[in-house]
Amino acid sequence: MTLIERIQNVFRSGKQPVTTQVAPVLSAIPSTSAVQATVQPDVLIADVPYVVEPLPHWIADEDALRDEGVLFGLSEAGPEEKVAVIRYHFAQQTAPVEQEIERYTEKIGELNLLIEQKGTRINDLRQQLDKLRTRSFVETYLPRTLIGLCLSIVMCIGTFFLIDDTLQPTFPNNRWIAVGVYLTGMFGLFNRTSVFHDAGARLSGRRLLEEIGLPLATSLFVLAQAWSTRPVWSALALFVFVFFVFLLAGKLTLGLFTVLGNDLAGLQTNRQLRRDREQQVPVLEASLHQLTQETDTIRAQKWPLVTALNRTEAEVTRLNARRDQLVNLFISEFELARSLRDRLTERQRAEILTR
C-alpha cells in the first residue's frame, strides 16, 4: 500500500493510520548488480556498443516515485530539487546516446560530401559527353571552292591579256604598265571579303567607295585607251566588261582564298572532333561508370548509418518521453499530498512519515 493510499484511508475511516509495517522508502541508489538497465544497447549497430547508466530504484519504480512525491508533498520542501535530480539521471542516460547521434551525423555528413563531390564530377563528365555527341561537324565546300578558285585564276589571266592588248598601241613594249593597271583594278580590296560576299556587311558610302572606286577608275582608264583604237560600241563594251570583271572577279578570287582557309580550318576541326569521339568518349564513359559505381557504394554504406541514426534518435525521444512521464507522476503525487497535508494533524503526519 502506497503512502497516498494510507492517507486516503485516514480520511475514509476517520481513525489513525493503519499500523501495517511497510518498508521505509530510501533514496539511496542500489548496487549495480541489483538493478537492470532500462535501455538496451541494441539501438546501435553491434560493433559500436555504448553504456547506459541505470536509473535509481526510486525513479525506475513508479510506486517508489509516488511515495517520494507524497513524502515531499507532506514536508515543507519544494519539488524543484527532486525534479532536477530526475532530469539529471535521465541526462546521464541520454548522454551516450546523443554522442552516438553526433557520431552518426558526422559520418553521414562526410558521406554526403563525398556523394556531392562525385555527383558534381558525374555532371561534368555527362556534359562533356553531351557536347562531344551533340556537337555537329562544320560544313565545308572544299571541292567547290577549289574549282571556283581555278576558274577565277583562269579568268583573271585572260582578262590580263585583254588589257595588255588594249594598252599595247598606246604603251608599246611596256608590259609593266598593263600589269600595274590590271593589279590595281583587279585586286584593289581593302577588306577581308567583298561586300558582295558578306551578307552581314553594312553598305556605307565609305565602304561603297572602297569597293568600286579603283575598279571604276581603272575601267575608265582602259576605256580612254580603247576609245582611240576601237569602235565606240566596242570600247563601251570593253569598259563594261572590264569594270565588272574588276568589281566581281578580282574580289571573288581574293574572297575564295579566304573561303579556302575557312574550309581547311573546318576540315581540321572535323578531324579533331572525330578523333575526340574515338578517343575521349570511351574514356569518359568508363570514368562515368566508375564514378556511378563508387557513388552507389557510398550510398550503400550510408543507409545503414541512417537507419541506426533514426533508431538512436527514436531512443532519445523515448527516454525524454519517459522522463516527462515520471516528472509529471512525481508532480501530481506531490501536489495531491500537498493539498491533503493541511487536513492532517501533526500526529497523523508524523505517523505517516515514520511508518
Side-chain angles (χ1 to χ4, degrees):
M1 181 180 295
T2 62
L3 290 176
I4 195 65
E5 291 175 346
R6 286 189 283 160
I7 295 173
Q8 291 172 350
N9 287 335
V10 171
F11 290 102
R12 285 197 295 265
S13 63
K15 299 179 181 180
Q16 295 294 329
V18 293
T19 59
T20 305
Q21 296 293 327
V22 295
V25 179
L26 301 177
S27 299
I29 301 175
S31 62
T32 306
S33 59
V35 179
Q36 298 294 330
T38 59
V39 179
Q40 298 299 327
D42 59 352
V43 296
L44 299 178
I45 53 180
D47 59 338
V48 189
Y50 63 91
V51 179
V52 177
E53 292 292 334
L55 290 173
H57 176 71
W58 66 271
I59 298 178
D61 191 325
E62 293 188 4
D63 291 336
L65 183 63
R66 287 191 180 94
D67 290 342
E68 287 289 332
V70 172
L71 290 175
F72 268 74
L74 295 177
S75 65
E76 298 295 333
E80 294 80 9
E81 181 180 352
K82 278 293 183 181
V83 170
V85 172
I86 295 173
R87 294 184 182 277
Y88 169 77
H89 284 289
F90 271 96
Q92 292 292 103
Q93 281 202 328
T94 57
V97 188
E98 291 175 348
Q99 290 178 357
E100 292 303 308
I101 291 177
E102 292 179 0
R103 189 179 69 85
Y104 282 129
T105 303
E106 181 180 357
K107 184 61 177 178
I108 292 173
E110 294 175 357
L111 295 179
N112 286 334
L113 181 59
L114 290 176
I115 292 174
E116 183 180 357
Q117 292 175 349
K118 292 185 181 297
T120 301
R121 180 58 180 162
I122 288 174
N123 291 333
D124 293 340
L125 291 178
R126 286 176 177 172
Q127 290 179 0
Q128 295 180 23
L129 281 174
D130 292 340
K131 287 181 180 179
L132 286 176
R133 289 169 176 170
T134 60
R135 183 179 172 185
S136 59
F137 291 99
V138 179
E139 294 184 357
T140 58
Y141 306 95
L142 185 60
R144 179 178 177 180
T145 302
L146 291 175
I147 294 173
L149 185 61
C150 293
L151 294 177
S152 298
I153 292 174
V154 172
M155 183 170 52
C156 292
I157 293 173
T159 304
F160 167 74
F161 285 107
L162 177 62
I163 293 175
D164 181 59
D165 182 71
T166 302
L167 299 181
Q168 189 69 29
T170 307
F171 305 98
N173 302 322
N174 198 344
R175 180 164 288 181
W176 287 109
I177 295 178
V179 172
V181 172
Y182 171 79
L183 292 177
T184 302
M186 184 69 74
F187 302 111
L189 184 63
F190 300 95
N191 296 289
R192 186 168 179 267
T193 57
S194 173
V195 70
F196 302 105
H197 306 108
D198 189 358
R202 294 178 57 187
L203 187 60
S204 61
R206 177 180 177 181
R207 183 71 185 274
L208 186 63
L209 181 62
E210 292 176 353
E211 292 286 338
I212 67 175
L214 286 179
L216 179 60
T218 308
S219 299
L220 289 174
F221 178 79
V222 174
L223 174 63
Q225 305 307 317
W227 193 269
S228 59
T229 59
R230 295 176 183 271
V232 175
W233 290 106
S234 178
L236 291 176
L238 180 63
F239 164 75
V240 174
F241 175 76
V242 172
F243 174 70
F244 280 101
V245 169
F246 286 163
L247 186 64
L248 298 178
K251 294 174 173 47
L252 175 63
T253 303
L254 295 179
L256 284 175
F257 280 107
T258 302
V259 175
L260 178 62
N262 294 336
D263 287 343
L264 293 177
L267 289 176
Q268 180 63 27
T269 302
N270 294 339
R271 189 179 300 111
Q272 184 64 38
L273 179 58
R274 292 190 186 93
R275 187 181 300 113
D276 291 341
R277 287 183 176 178
E278 293 175 357
Q279 297 178 358
Q280 295 186 14
V281 168
V283 175
L284 292 176
E285 288 178 345
S287 300
L288 182 61
H289 180 68
Q290 181 180 359
L291 286 174
T292 303
Q293 287 184 336
E294 292 176 357
T295 304
D296 293 339
T297 302
I298 295 175
R299 288 197 176 99
Q301 296 174 358
K302 170 187 171 182
W303 290 123
L305 296 177
V306 173
T307 303
L309 176 62
N310 294 334
R311 294 167 59 187
T312 309
E313 290 177 343
E315 181 62 20
V316 171
T317 303
R318 188 191 69 80
L319 289 174
N320 291 335
R322 177 63 175 168
R323 177 201 62 195
D324 295 338
Q325 177 189 359
L326 295 179
V327 167
N328 293 332
L329 177 62
F330 176 81
I331 293 296
S332 64
E333 295 294 328
F334 171 85
E335 292 178 350
L336 180 58
R338 182 58 58 89
S339 65
L340 297 176
R341 183 187 63 174
D342 296 335
R343 299 169 59 184
L344 294 173
T345 64
E346 291 293 335
R347 181 180 177 182
Q348 290 174 330
R349 273 186 283 180
E351 289 288 339
I352 293 173
L353 292 176
T354 56
R355 291 182 182 273

